[in-house]
Amino acid sequence: MTGESTRARSHVIRKRFRVVGVRNEDVDGYHLSITNLSREEFLPEDLATIYRCRWEVELLFRELKTQYRLDEFDTTRKHGVEILLYAALLSLVVSRELLSLVIEHADDDLVFAPERWAATFRSHAQLILYRLSGYLGYSPPPLLDRLTADAQTIHKQRPILQEQLAIAIKQAAEA
């Protein structure tokens, strides 16, 4: 064996990146980004806009995961996943619209962090739906009627598991 075959070969891969700084007046400093996008196609202000939008998308997905449990679907069925995804997205849209209304009517010096708002919205969602249903004139059936209807066996021909078990035990005891 030659010495070359026993030594690990290393390969050098060179890539070009550039550091772009855009002045941020709010913090009296610069926002720096490292990118491989070409200087000719993307001006610093364009990159700042692109990365700001990308960061907003990241924050939206984090909110969908943490507040609306987007990453914890309890099904693998395609239609079930789609329904849960749409429910999470609709919740996010309703939450943000309600936040816009709150901001519009709040004092100018109040600040509402989107993630804190999402947690607040989620914790009050049932009350919000209840009040909204009353406002829209929706009145659910009386509670006793709902409980009676929901507790009945759905298919008379298909008894529930407990009933099947009771029948099987009774037949075994009689035999």
Side-chain angles (χ1 to χ4, degrees):
M1 281 191 157
T2 66
E4 186 177 322
S5 64
T6 59
R7 279 188 290 196
R9 291 185 180 168
S10 64
H11 297 284
V12 176
I13 298 174
R14 296 187 190 272
K15 291 194 176 231
R16 291 183 65 97
F17 294 96
R18 65 181 173 134
V19 176
V20 178
V22 176
R23 180 102 173 113
N24 185 340
E25 298 294 332
D26 294 338
V27 295
D28 192 29
Y30 286 87
H31 181 81
L32 300 176
S33 301
I34 298 174
T35 184
N36 62 349
L37 298 175
S38 74
R39 178 184 318 258
E40 294 78 25
E41 293 181 58
F42 296 95
L43 298 172
E45 292 76 20
D46 298 333
L47 288 172
T49 302
I50 290 169
Y51 286 128
R52 190 171 36 256
C53 290
R54 182 168 183 220
W55 183 244
E56 283 298 318
V57 169
E58 293 290 334
L59 291 176
L60 284 174
F61 273 100
R62 185 169 83 184
E63 183 177 331
L64 284 166
K65 288 182 194 177
T66 58
Q67 299 302 324
Y68 303 107
R69 306 290 192 251
L70 186 66
D71 59 342
E72 297 178 16
F73 290 159
D74 215 12
T75 182
T76 56
R77 293 185 170 158
K78 180 183 178 204
H79 296 300
V81 170
E82 287 176 355
I83 288 169
L84 292 170
L85 177 62
Y86 286 129
L89 291 171
L90 284 171
S91 297
L92 178 69
V93 168
V94 170
S95 170
R96 291 298 172 93
E97 281 298 313
L98 192 54
L99 174 58
S100 294
L101 284 172
V102 168
I103 290 171
E104 185 179 314
H105 291 91
D107 293 337
D108 290 338
D109 59 337
L110 294 178
V111 177
F112 298 93
E115 281 196 60
R116 178 70 188 137
W117 170 260
T120 303
F121 173 79
R122 199 184 92 208
S123 68
H124 293 81
Q126 286 186 323
L127 179 59
I128 292 168
L129 287 174
Y130 176 74
R131 294 278 175 93
L132 185 60
S133 68
Y135 175 76
L136 295 174
Y138 170 75
S139 58
L143 181 58
L144 186 57
D145 292 346
R146 289 181 64 192
L147 291 172
T148 303
D150 290 348
Q152 294 180 34
T153 303
I154 296 171
H155 300 287
K156 302 276 187 218
Q157 305 85 0
R158 188 175 65 194
I160 60 175
L161 183 60
Q162 286 180 328
E163 292 171 353
Q164 290 175 338
L165 182 60
I167 292 168
I169 292 172
K170 183 178 178 185
Q171 289 173 347
E174 291 173 354

